[in-house]
Amino acid sequence: MEARNKTRISEFLLLGFSEEPEIQPLIFGLFLSMYLITVFGNLLIILAVSSDSHFHTPMYFFLSNLSFVDICFTSTTIPKMLWNIQAQNKAITYEGCIIQMYFFILFVCLDDFLLTVMAYDRFVAICHPLHYTVMMNSQLCGLLMLVSWVMSALNSLIQSLMVLQLSFCTDLEIPHFFCEINQMVRLACSDTFFNDMLFYFAAGMFGFLTLTGILYSYSKIVSSIRGISSAQGKYKAFSTCASHLSMVCLFYCTSLGVYLSSAATQSSHSSATASVMYTVITPMLNPFIYSLRNKDIKRALERILEMAATKGPTVWRLK
């Protein structure tokens, strides 16, 4: 490779979904709407959990953390894409790209860990109900969150540092709407063997461990539910984990579908379109899944919206 191709680069170009100018306003409006719904919906979940003492339990503690992570997750990628469309400028600085990649990997891993921790919480609640408050104490909940953050941050840091070691060619166009690590590694001129090995090792290790933990928890939950004699008891036990199970299926099915479809088609634009499912759609649907399937959350959200509606006119009259 010629030396001029390995000079210090200053920026990448995010090609996004389409280069046709007539559909850019449509893409902007669609993603702005989904982003606002995601932020507003997850903020309502956080507000509902924090404002009601009945929700100060491990399950809702993890749910509020998941909502916070989902807000951060979408805020890592969507605002930059919207800014680029509005400014009609596809550029992102080299440093900005590395930072975006770091936080994207961080929040993806946190989503993964939180879903696993929530599965363990449901396992303890259903299989060991008499010992639930002792086993899922505040110290353990705090420790599980700390471990999740530390493991996710370390993985993201190592992946980002490995990318920093790469030399890039003159082709700096990323066929995606954010700095996705696989797309960046493909642009490198230097050897990417260790980057590929590290990525697949981390994805396999974290994915295998978390998915194994979730499957084990739910295998025990199913066995415990089958042992309940009454139909009402079975329904009540299943309803406590139905929302979480829906979130797990949505997250893992969309994530797996993205990487399988991208591997099959080898089309970068198809991969970018498919990745919208777990980067945007899943965080947006999570609040709806919990609010529609959880009567307590639904009532709390209705109470918050009613309070906001009644206070609004009062504040206006005072002004």
Side-chain angles (χ1 to χ4, degrees), residues 147-213:
V147 171
S148 298
W149 274 96
V150 170
M151 293 292 289
S152 301
L154 283 176
N155 175 51
S156 183
L157 180 62
I158 293 171
Q159 299 274 4
S160 302
L161 290 176
M162 289 293 291
V163 173
L164 282 173
Q165 307 305 313
L166 297 176
S167 299
F168 290 93
C169 305
T170 53
D171 182 15
L172 301 176
E173 295 181 345
I174 300 176
H176 219 296
F177 66 94
F178 65 94
C179 295
E180 204 266 340
I181 184 170
N182 281 334
Q183 299 295 336
M184 290 187 65
V185 171
R186 289 180 186 178
L187 297 179
C189 296
S190 53
D191 184 23
T192 62
F193 174 78
F194 289 108
N195 294 79
D196 293 332
M197 289 300 100
L198 177 64
F199 175 80
Y200 289 116
F201 172 77
M205 185 183 70
F206 287 116
F208 175 77
L209 290 177
T210 54
L211 189 56
T212 300

Side-chain angles (χ1 to χ4, degrees), residues 57-62 118 120-138 140-141:
T57 62
M59 182 179 76
Y60 293 110
F61 168 73
F62 295 129
M118 292 171 76
Y120 175 72
D121 173 73
R122 293 298 84 207
F123 158 71
V124 176
I126 294 174
C127 299
H128 305 282
L130 298 179
H131 302 92
Y132 178 73
T133 55
V134 177
M135 295 177 66
M136 296 301 297
N137 54 69
S138 57
L140 179 62
C141 293

Side-chain angles (χ1 to χ4, degrees), residues 11-195:
E11 64 182 24
F12 290 97
L13 295 179
L14 297 173
L15 299 185
F17 299 101
S18 174
E19 297 184 12
E20 298 179 12
E22 58 270 13
I23 69 170
Q24 297 304 312
L26 176 63
I27 295 175
F28 181 87
L30 179 63
F31 276 84
L32 177 61
S33 301
M34 289 191 293
Y35 178 67
L36 292 177
I37 292 171
T38 301
V39 173
F40 182 68
N42 283 287
L43 278 177
L44 278 178
I45 294 291
I46 295 172
L47 184 60
V49 171
S50 60
S51 62
D52 195 331
S53 60
H54 292 93
F55 294 135
H56 295 173
T57 62
M59 182 179 76
Y60 293 110
F61 168 73
F62 295 129
L63 175 61
S64 61
N65 276 276
L66 181 66
S67 294
F68 171 74
V69 169
D70 281 342
I71 292 173
C72 297
F73 186 27
T74 53
S75 298
T76 302
T77 57
I78 302 304
K80 177 58 180 175
M81 186 195 73
L82 295 175
W83 172 263
N84 283 1
I85 293 175
Q86 187 68 18
Q88 297 182 353
N89 180 12
K90 299 178 181 295
I92 181 172
T93 63
Y94 175 78
E95 293 80 7
C97 202
I98 297 295
I99 291 172
Q100 187 185 65
M101 183 187 66
Y102 170 83
F103 282 106
F104 180 81
I105 297 173
L106 169 67
F107 293 124
V108 167
C109 290
L110 273 172
D111 250 354
D112 209 4
F113 276 118
L114 277 170
L115 289 175
T116 308
V117 169
M118 292 171 76
Y120 175 72
D121 173 73
R122 293 298 84 207
F123 158 71
V124 176
I126 294 174
C127 299
H128 305 282
L130 298 179
H131 302 92
Y132 178 73
T133 55
V134 177
M135 295 177 66
M136 296 301 297
N137 54 69
S138 57
Q139 290 82 5
L140 179 62
C141 293
L143 180 62
L144 289 172
M145 282 305 307
L146 178 62
V147 171
S148 298
W149 274 96
V150 170
M151 293 292 289
S152 301
L154 283 176
N155 175 51
S156 183
L157 180 62
I158 293 171
Q159 299 274 4
S160 302
L161 290 176
M162 289 293 291
V163 173
L164 282 173
Q165 307 305 313
L166 297 176
S167 299
F168 290 93
C169 305
T170 53
D171 182 15
L172 301 176
E173 295 181 345
I174 300 176
H176 219 296
F177 66 94
F178 65 94
C179 295
E180 204 266 340
I181 184 170
N182 281 334
Q183 299 295 336
M184 290 187 65
V185 171
R186 289 180 186 178
L187 297 179
C189 296
S190 53
D191 184 23
T192 62
F193 174 78
F194 289 108
N195 294 79

Side-chain angles (χ1 to χ4, degrees), residues 225 230-240 295:
I225 291 177
S230 66
Q232 185 179 0
K234 289 182 179 180
Y235 175 79
K236 185 177 180 181
F238 179 76
S239 64
T240 61
K295 294 181 180 179

